[in-house]
């Protein structure tokens, strides 16, 4: 399972994904603000790479660190290492982690990269995580990260970790790793858990169907329990906090804070009577409610007014249209919770504009809506927003003007800069609104005001210090930084007023909308800068739907929003007079309905329709239900209003109409055809006679249509199907069962030429005087109404209205007093209409698809340009004139905010619907006085499609006021040419006769054979077409794909520019020679002098097929022509070779040098030494730099990407050919079908034909025949490869493809590595240019599955061979005839110099240049140099900028992830033409082989080791042993025996460690092949620096051993040992660079040089973050080669052969033993030795005590004689209890009394006598007897006298 840290990380990641706008870093926010919204919404492939290199100073003892990398939701980990300074970056690449993402940039920036280092051992667990914020370039290259504990930050640093990470997208290049020991430390504090509190107080204006509610995502639950999202809102944390990065200096920012404030929810709409308009979040549409984050506050009344000036560019909608304006729920006609208000316009009928779109014919009567709403007082927020937006907009405008200045010498730079500084200082010094008196001011308000004030002050002070004399680029960068910083503080998160929504309604459904920010139309008394930029101004809005790119309408509006108390200012901004008319509660007009019955009209017979109803005729609306609003009164009685806008038919503005009539016949089966009951009908079977309307005439008579599926007479047949009896389908052939037939008659009807203007006709139609009997007629209810009655009309109606006027002037605008009333407002009879003339000068466009045309829309008029066929960059050169455009309003207001010109481009398709190519919005230049007219200037306008760039348009637009005298009509009309108006000469760019020289060349080297052989190159004579113009070098075509399943065999090239075109001769056989037979062409063309206005060059490849079929198989467009501009005189002059040479070489000095290097130097110097010396890795290059051999140039990119080599396309460039349309999706690339190789040169030509032409640019060309070559491919190494196997590695191998040849064996793969070192050379023959593309691919070897492709790179060998930089074979630094830098080219340096001089100076190189004597300043250290003549020639060649001997780094790509870096490949290529002879020997780049070494480490003694254990006697002791291993070979660790019972830290071992290993001396790394697991098939080769690890341990039998200290010795830089133990200190482990004073002897040395070292080294242990000396080790380190180890064998430990040297058993103290193996010995050394004196003293004391006790015990005692047991002493009798034995002896009758008397016992004495005698039962010293008591068999044993205590025998008895 996952641990708690991982779960916590996952929860944080999931929470980030819920809020996509949250950014934790200010730099990320500023980057995201620059992103294109369309790009952020579309996912793109990305790769995240993390490389763990090494760790330093990790805390802990005997730790085993492992690094976990969390990339989003994915977890990776390194191998487990040991020690405090682990090295993870093995060359095997095990610790490079890759993760692919396919997300939007917004989603990707929300992902986190967390690096966690865990160090586990038996005692501790460390968890350290650094946080990585946003980085410059999204990369962190070889930097140290500081580690902190996530829960104990106060504990300080826990170590350092060096990492390298980057985030790559399409086209990004991974940074090259540059290892450096002095990399800066990237201090990163870990992300801490924070608490987010959100208090919800109140919800208002929510939909009525809510059953359940939650926040911040508001959802409702219906009866079925299904959740539905009602609305969403966001709190952007970057807008409610500050990191301090916005302010320069000491500013710490502030933490996130918000509110209390309202939050407006936005969501989708959809009710039972509405269509659902779904817009994905965060594209917001309709506000559905507000959340209140504080207690209820007071509200202010706001008034919103909107005037509709025009509604144009509407789609073809036949139903009636009206518009609705709402803010929040106020104004929503479908919301019954708010009071009704005049929020909708009148219904109108859309009219065709005569070309493409429709519009609403409002003319002089403009609809107006007024809404009142209640909100919190948002004046402070709105004023602040508008002031900041004004500052930003003015700075943006001035920045655009500054960008138009190109050079510092431009005289306009000073004026532009002064204007910018003046306005910027005015804006920055303007005070922001004050918070004083703001009751609702929050903490965020105070913080933001302080932040904004600081920022504006800093920008102002910075602007004052700049001067206009600086470079414009520097000024632009500085202004862009100011603008970016101001943009960062512009958002106001607490501005809670919702946006204003404008809806287009059709059939009571919402079909399109526009959205306006409330602050942009807000009025403020604080000044003009505090007012919204659109407040009271006419502006243009575009209606959209569902986020699509199509425009559903264009509105020209004027809007106003303010407090109702400030609405009196509105009347000053309102043009015209306001008329208010009564309406019903339902806000529908009153119609009086009548029906015709028996020829009479009346209200009877209406049935379900009321006599007075709304426009639908279904809802009754009586006139007596109206109530006057407060402050208004009636102005007159009810009057009839003719709704003529609703009566315009669909033929309005059509020039001609095609009428159709079907002739119908029928029959019964078996009968003849006869006319049907309705002989003439339309398509829907409606009969009636067609009458020509007034103002129309018929151009032709009726004709039968036969151009469809009918017979020759035009009939089509069918079978009548009941119940209607009409056929449902028709057939062209007659059958006997057919009962109906029909044919279609057509007639074209056109308008009269003498009729009045259509616009005037419509205006006069709408302005007829209203009469009481003005009725509208229709045949049936619900049909189209018309004015003139017809015989078949049965239904009529008329509209009534009544006008209202205000009672008296008031402080509040009367229009805002209509809340809840029954009236509607409209602006009527405003300013006198003004007529304008619009002139559109459309010159050209580029980057389009074939057959384009432009459709231009301006208000209610539209036109289109001509269609240009087969071109990608059309040049129309056309002027479109719009006459008599009626625009209402003040001309000055029109000048400030003119209507936009919408230009849409389409691609003509004769089969399907025309393709939409893009749209451009252009603002015309308004001229109100023709006397001061300034002609507009052509400029480029971007063409967008789905918010993406789709091309550019070069055009100009001007809007001319047409006064009553008709002045625009008197202006000279543009020239008429080929049926169109062309652009006038004053606007059209000035054209100059230019020459475009086109060179179409073939592949052949610009070299010659060696002297004495025939020269290879022939220079082409005058074979070009000399007719003046562009000079074109057309070399050939490459890789053309088949067209329509047929191969392209004989293509030719068509070059078009500026209306001129040339075509080359066809290629005879593309597969044998793809070059053109004639290569140079000259084309005359007139081009503009300004380079920005130059048209592109169009390239088309045409395949010449049989029967005259010539399809276009590929095309391309060359946009920028500036790079091809040249001066013929400059190009014709070529510099000569230098005359004065300084060459530091001489032949005499080097002739005395030996021919070859010594053998030792040859062994240590190879090609890899040169490689590592060039890479800057001096540790692996050895002493290569001291040898004086050539150096290698390493490019970190492709050779084509080196700037000084011009992409190797100096001779001819490669242009990709495309076919078909560009794909709709941005992620898809257009189809590439081939390449064209050529070059262009553009230069001016003299206008005078008699003047001599300038010299030709392409005069000498090589032959264009194929040539055989030998190609050598040197593959050195690859790095940063993505893993392909489950173990995080791959098994790469190389495959080289050239034409049909493939080299590379899959069995020669390198297992388990991401940084393979190949060192391989491939040789392939080829024929150029047929086999020009060399592809090097890397594959991953798999045992069973197919090999996966890692990546590939492609090289154009033809460009390398043709380039004049001579990229076929790089030039070395010196000419060597032997050694590792031997000359490998085919030609000698003198021959190369002669060819180069002929090519550049067109003259052979004089031999005298190479023959004069030269002197030498420095003699090289090697003896491989060649003759001085050749060396001098090589020196001259290297001064000419040719390609040197190099190594290029190529990026690998994969077709699955195009543009994503898949790794790097270092290589180079040599190309040798076979005609020049055999090349020199190839370089030997075989990887170095490691050498076998043996490290012998003899552990002699230890000293001062920490005593870890405590004996039972309280003594400190340790059972010491030492174990060691080489880093990376932990499995082969060895250990000594145990020195038991070390009481002073001393240990004696005499133990030998033997570590065999493989070592690369030149790279100074150990090569460690090992298997990662049991199931691994191959060993992973790791390369790590040699390091010996020795650890001292305390041996424990019944618990884990105790760690005492560690010693890590870098064998390449080990500290010199100390001779004596007391000289062994921690200072020995410090680097010598830390000491300022030079040491007397080297403090560090390499064991590989010294080979033998003996002495004392310190052991350390970590305590509280510091190192402490924990012991000292005396040992001998000896390094032997494999041969030396075989000659001097030795065994491990003290095993045989115990020699070199012989190790004796260590002389250890007798106390050194294992206690339970010798118990007696343990007592001796545990008890006796340490306590000997105490034991002796104790024994003596004990003996003294025993003697004293014995003395006391043996003192004399008196005992009575007899059985009474009375013992008397000192003459005093004493009674004692008698024993049983005494009782038996005294009384023989007692059992057992028969025992014989004890021998020798004294006889009983008479009673009462006293004598000395023994005491029975006791044995006392000094007694006469020793009594022993025993009982056998229950009987007491007799007392036996003691022999030696028996008394002397009694004297014998006397004789009787």
């Amino acid at each position: 399972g996952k641990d708690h840290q991982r779960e916590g990380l996952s929860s944080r990641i999931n929470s980030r994904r819920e809020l996509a706008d949250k950014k934790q870093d200010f730099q990320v926010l500023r980057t995201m603000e620059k992103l294109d919204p369309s790009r952020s919404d579309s996912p793109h492939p990305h790769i995240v790479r993390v490389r763990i290199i090494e760790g330093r100073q990790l805390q802990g003892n005997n730790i085993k660190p492992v690094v976990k990398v969390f990339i989003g939701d994915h977890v990776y980990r390194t191998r487990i290492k040991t020690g405090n300074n682990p090295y993870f970056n093995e060359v095997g690449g095990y610790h490079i982690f890759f993760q692919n993402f396919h997300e939007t940039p917004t989603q990707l920036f929300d992902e986190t990269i967390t690096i966690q280092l865990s160090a586990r051992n038996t005692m501790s667990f460390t968890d350290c995580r650094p946080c990585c914020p946003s980085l410059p370039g999204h990369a962190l290259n070889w930097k140290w990260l500081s580690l902190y504990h996530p829960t104990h930050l106060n504990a300080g640093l826990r170590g350092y970790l060096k990492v390298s990470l980057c985030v790559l997208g399409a086209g990004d290049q991974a940074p090259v790793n540059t290892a450096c020991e002095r990399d800066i430390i990237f201090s990163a504090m870990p992300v801490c858990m924070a608490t987010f509190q959100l208090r919800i107080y109140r919800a208002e204006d929510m939909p009525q169907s809510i059953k359940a509610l939650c926040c911040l995502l508001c959802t409702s639950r219906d009866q079925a329990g299904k959740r539905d999202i009602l609305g969403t809102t966001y709190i952007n944390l970057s807008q409610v906090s500050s990191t301090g990065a916005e302010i320069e200096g000491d500013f710490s920012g502030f933490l996130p804070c918000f509110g209390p404030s309202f939050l407006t929810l936005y969501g989708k709409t959809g009710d039972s009577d509405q269509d659902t308009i779904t817009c994905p979040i965060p594209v917001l549409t309709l506000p559905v409610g507000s959340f209140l984050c504080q207690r209820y506050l007071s509200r202010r009344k706001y008034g919103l007014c909107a005037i509709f000036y025009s509604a144009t560019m509407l789609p073809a909608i036949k139903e009636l249209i009206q518009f609705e304006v709402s803010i929040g729920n106020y104004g929503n006609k479908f919301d019954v919770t708010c009071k009704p208000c005049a929020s909708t316009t009148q219904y109108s009928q859309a009219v065709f504009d005569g070309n493409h779109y429709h519009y609403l014919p409002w003319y002089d009567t403009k609809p107006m809506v007024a809404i009142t709403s209640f909100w919190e007082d948002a004046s402070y927020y709105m004023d602040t927003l508008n002031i900041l937006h004004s500052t930003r907009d003015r700075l943006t405008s001035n920045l655009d003007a500054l960008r138009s200045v190109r050079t510092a010498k431009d005289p306009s730079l000073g004026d532009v800069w002064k204007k910018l500084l003046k306005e910027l200082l005015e804006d920055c010094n303007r005070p922001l609104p004050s918070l004083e008196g703001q009751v609702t001011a929050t903490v965020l308000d105070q913080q933001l005001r302080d932040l904004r004030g600081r920022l504006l002050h800093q920008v102002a002070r910075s602007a004052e210090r700049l001067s206009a004399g600086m470079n414009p680029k520097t000024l632009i960068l500085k202004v862009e930084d100011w603008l970016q910083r101001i943009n960062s503080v512009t958002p106001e998160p607490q501005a809670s007023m919702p946006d204003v929504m404008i809806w287009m309604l059709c059939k009571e459904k919402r079909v399109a909308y526009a959205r306006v920010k409330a602050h942009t139309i807000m009025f403020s008394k604080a000044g003009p800068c505090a007012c919204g930029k659109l407040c009271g101004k006419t502006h243009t809005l575009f209606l959209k739907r569902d986020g699509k790119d199509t425009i559903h309408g264009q509105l020209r509006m004027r809007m106003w929003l303010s407090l109702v108390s400030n609405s009196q200012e509105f009347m000053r901004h309102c043009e015209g007079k306001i008329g208010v008319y009564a309406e019903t509660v339902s806000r529908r007009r009153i119609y009086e309905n009548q029906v015709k019955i028996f020829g009479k009209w009346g209200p009877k017979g209406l049935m379900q329709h009321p006599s007075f109803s709304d426009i639908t005729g279904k809802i009754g609306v009586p006139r007596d239900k109206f109530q006057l609003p407060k402050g208004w009164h009636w102005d007159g009685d009810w009057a009839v209003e003719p709704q003529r806008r609703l009566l315009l038919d669909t033929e309005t503005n059509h020039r001609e109409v095609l009428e159709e009539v079907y002739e119908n016949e029928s029959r019964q089966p078996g009968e003849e055809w006869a006319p049907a009951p309705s002989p003439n009908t339309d398509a829907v079977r409606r009969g009636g006679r067609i009458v020509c309307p007034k103002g129309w005439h018929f151009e032709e008579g009726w004709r039968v249509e036969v151009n469809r599926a009918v017979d020759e007479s035009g009939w089509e047949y069918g079978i009548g199907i009941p119940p209607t009896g009409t056929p449902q389908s028709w057939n062209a052939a007659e059958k006997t069962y057919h009962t109906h037939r029909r044919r279609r008659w057509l007639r074209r009807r056109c308008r009269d030429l003498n009729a009045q203007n259509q616009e005037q006709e419509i205006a006069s139609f709408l302005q007829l005087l209203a009469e009481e009997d003005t009725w509208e007629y229709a045949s049936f209810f619900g049909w189209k109404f018309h004015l003139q009655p017809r015989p078949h009309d049965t239904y009529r109606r008329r509209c009534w209205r009544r006008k209202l006027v205000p009672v008296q002037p008031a402080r509040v605008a009367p229009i805002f007093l209509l809340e809840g009333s029954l009236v509607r407002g409209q602006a009527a009879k405003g300013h006198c209409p003004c007529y304008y003339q619009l002139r559109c000068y459309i010159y050209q466009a580029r980057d389009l698809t074939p057959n384009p045309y432009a459709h231009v829309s301006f208000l209610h008029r539209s036109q289109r340009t001509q269609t240009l066929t087969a071109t990608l960059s059309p040049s129309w050169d056309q002027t479109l004139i719009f006459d008599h455009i009626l625009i209402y309003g003040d001309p000055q207001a029109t000048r400030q905010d003119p209507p936009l010109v919408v230009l849409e481009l389409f691609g003509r398709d004769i089969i399907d619907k025309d393709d939409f190519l893009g749209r451009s919005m252009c603002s015309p230049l308004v001229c109100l006085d023709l006397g001061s007219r300034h002609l507009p200037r052509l400029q480029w306008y971007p063409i967008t499609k789905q918010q993406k760039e789709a091309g550019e348009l070069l055009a100009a637009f001007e809007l001319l006021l047409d006064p009553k005298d008709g002045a625009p009509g008197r202006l000279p009309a543009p020239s008429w040419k080929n049926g169109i108006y062309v652009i006038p000469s004053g606007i059209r760019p000035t054209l100059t006769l230019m020459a475009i020289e086109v060179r179409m060349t073939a592949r052949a080297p610009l070299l010659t054979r060696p002297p004495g052989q025939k020269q290879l190159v022939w220079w082409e004579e005058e074979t070009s077409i000399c007719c003046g113009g562009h000079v074109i070098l057309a070399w050939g075509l490459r890789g053309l794909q088949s067209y329509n399943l047929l191969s392209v065999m004989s293509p030719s090239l068509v070059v078009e520019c500026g209306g001129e075109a040339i075509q080359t001769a066809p290629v005879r056989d593309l597969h044998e020679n793809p070059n053109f037979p004639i290569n140079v062409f000259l084309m005359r063309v007139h081009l503009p002098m300004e380079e920005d206005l130059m048209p592109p060059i169009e390239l088309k490849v045409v395949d010449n097929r049989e029967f005259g079929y010539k399809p276009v198989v590929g095309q391309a467009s060359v946009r920028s022509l500036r790079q091809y501009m040249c001066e013929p005189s400059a190009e014709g002059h070529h510099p000569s070779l230098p005359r004065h040479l300084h060459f530091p070489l001489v032949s005499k000095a080097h002739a005395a040098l030996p021919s070859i290097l010594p053998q030792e130097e040859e062994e240590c110097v190879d090609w890899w030494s040169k490689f590592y010396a060039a890479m800057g890795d001096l540790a692996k290059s050895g002493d290569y730099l001291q040898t004086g051999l050539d150096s290698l140039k390493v490019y970190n990119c492709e050779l084509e990407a080196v700037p000084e080599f011009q992409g190797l396309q100096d001779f001819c460039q490669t242009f990709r050919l495309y076919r078909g349309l560009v794909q709709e999706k941005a992620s898809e690339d257009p189809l590439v079908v081939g390449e064209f190789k050529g070059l262009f040169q553009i230069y001016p030509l003299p206008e005078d034909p008699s003047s001599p032409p300038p010299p030709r640019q392409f005069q000498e060309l090589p032959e264009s025949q194929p040539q055989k070559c030998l190609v050598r491919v040197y593959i050195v190494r690859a790095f940063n490869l993505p893993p392909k196997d489950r173990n995080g590695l791959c098994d790469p191998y190389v495959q080289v493809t050239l034409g049909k040849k493939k080299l590379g064996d899959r069995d020669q793969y390198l297992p388990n590595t991401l940084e393979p070192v190949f060192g391989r050379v491939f040789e392939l023959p080829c024929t150029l240019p047929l086999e020009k593309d060399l592809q090097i691919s890397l594959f991953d070897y798999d045992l069973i599955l197919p090999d996966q492709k890692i990546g590939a790179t492609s090289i154009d060998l033809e460009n390398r061979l043709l380039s004049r930089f001579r990229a076929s074979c790089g030039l070395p630094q010196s000419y060597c005839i032997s050694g590792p830098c031997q000359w490998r080219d085919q030609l000698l340096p003198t021959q190369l110099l002669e060819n180069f001089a002929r090519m550049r100076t067109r003259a052979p190189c004089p031999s005298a240049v190479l023959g004069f004597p030269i002197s030498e300043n420095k003699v090289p250290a090697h003896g491989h140099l060649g003759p001085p003549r050749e060396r001098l020639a090589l020196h001259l060649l290297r001064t000419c900028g040719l390609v040197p001997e190099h190594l290029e780094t190529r990026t690998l790509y994969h077709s699955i992830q195009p543009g994503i870096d898949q790794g790097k490949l270092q290589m180079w290529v040599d190309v040798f033409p076979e005609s020049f002879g055999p090349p020199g020997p190839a370089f030997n780049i075989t990887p170095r082989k490691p050498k076998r070494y043996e490290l012998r480490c003899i552990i002699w003694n230890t000293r001062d080791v920490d005593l870890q254990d405590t004996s039972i006697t309280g003594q400190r002791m340790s059972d010491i042993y030492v174990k060691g291993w080489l880093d990376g070979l932990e499995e082969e660790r060895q250990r000594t025996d145990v020195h038991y019972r070390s009481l002073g830290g001393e240990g004696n071992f005499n133990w030998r460690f033997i570590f065999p290993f493989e070592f690369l001396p030149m790279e100074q790394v150990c090569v460690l092949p090992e298997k990662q697991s049991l199931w691994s098939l191959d060993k992973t080769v790791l390369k790590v620096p040699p390091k010996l690890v020795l650890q001292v341990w305390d041996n424990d039998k019944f618990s884990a051993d105790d760690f005492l200290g560690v010693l890590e010795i870098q064998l390449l830089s080990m500290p010199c040992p100390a001779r004596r133990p007391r000289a062994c200190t921690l200072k020995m482990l410090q680097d010598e660079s830390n000491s300022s004073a030079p040491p007397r002897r080297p403090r560090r040395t390499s064991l590989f040089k010294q080979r033998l070292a003996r002495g004392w080294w310190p052991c350390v242990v970590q305590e509280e973050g510091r190192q402490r000396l924990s012991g000292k080790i005396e040992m001998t380190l000896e390094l032997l080669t494999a041969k030396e180890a075989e000659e001097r064998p030795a065994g491990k430990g003290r095993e045989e052969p115990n020699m070199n040297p012989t190790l004796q058993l260590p002389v250890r103290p007798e106390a050194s033993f294992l206690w339970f193996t010798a118990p007696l010995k343990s007592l001796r050394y545990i008890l006796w030795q340490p306590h000997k004196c105490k034991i002796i003293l104790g024994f003596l004391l004990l003996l003294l005590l025993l003697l004293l006790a014995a003395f006391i015990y043996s003192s004399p005692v008196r005992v009575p004689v007899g059985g009474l047991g009375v013992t008397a002493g000192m003459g005093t009798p004493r009674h004692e209890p008698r024993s049983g034995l005494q009782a038996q002896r005294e009384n023989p009758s007692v059992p057992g009394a028969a025992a014989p008397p004890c021998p020798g016992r004294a006889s009983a004495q008479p009673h009462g006598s006293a004598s000395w005698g023994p005491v029975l039962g006791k044995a006392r010293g000094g007694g006469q007897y020793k009594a022993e008591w025993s009982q056998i068999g229950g009987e007491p044993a007799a007392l036996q006298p003691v022999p030696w205590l028996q008394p002397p025998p009694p004297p014998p008895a006397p004789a009787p």
Side-chain angles (χ1 to χ4, degrees), residues 92-96 1281-1292 1311-1315 1340 1572 1580 1582:
Y94 184 77
H95 303 312
I96 304 178
L1281 299 182
K1284 293 296 181 180
D1285 298 336
R1286 297 186 61 183
N1287 59 357
L1289 302 174
C1290 63
D1291 308 320
N1312 301 331
T1313 179
L1314 295 179
E1315 295 187 354
D1340 175 53
Q1572 295 183 1
T1580 301
L1582 304 179

Side-chain angles (χ1 to χ4, degrees), residues 10 36 77 127 295 505 558 717 1046 1101 1185 1232 1298 1451 1706:
S10 300
D36 188 0
R77 67 185 65 211
D127 186 4
R295 292 174 294 177
L505 306 179
R558 176 170 293 190
Y717 303 88
L1046 295 178
V1101 178
L1185 297 179
V1232 180
L1298 184 59
T1451 305

Side-chain angles (χ1 to χ4, degrees), residues 1826-1837:
K1826 180 178 180 181
E1828 294 183 2
W1829 178 271
S1830 63
Q1831 184 177 358
I1832 301 175
E1835 296 294 334

Side-chain angles (χ1 to χ4, degrees), residues 198 200 203 206 210-221 227-233 265 291:
L198 177 65
I200 308 299
M206 306 305 297
I210 292 182
K211 303 299 182 182
L213 184 67
C214 67
C215 186
L216 286 175
L217 185 64
C218 180
T219 63
S220 69
R221 191 180 302 274
R227 298 179 61 187
D228 185 20
I229 297 177
L230 298 178
T232 309
T233 188
L265 295 174
F291 280 126

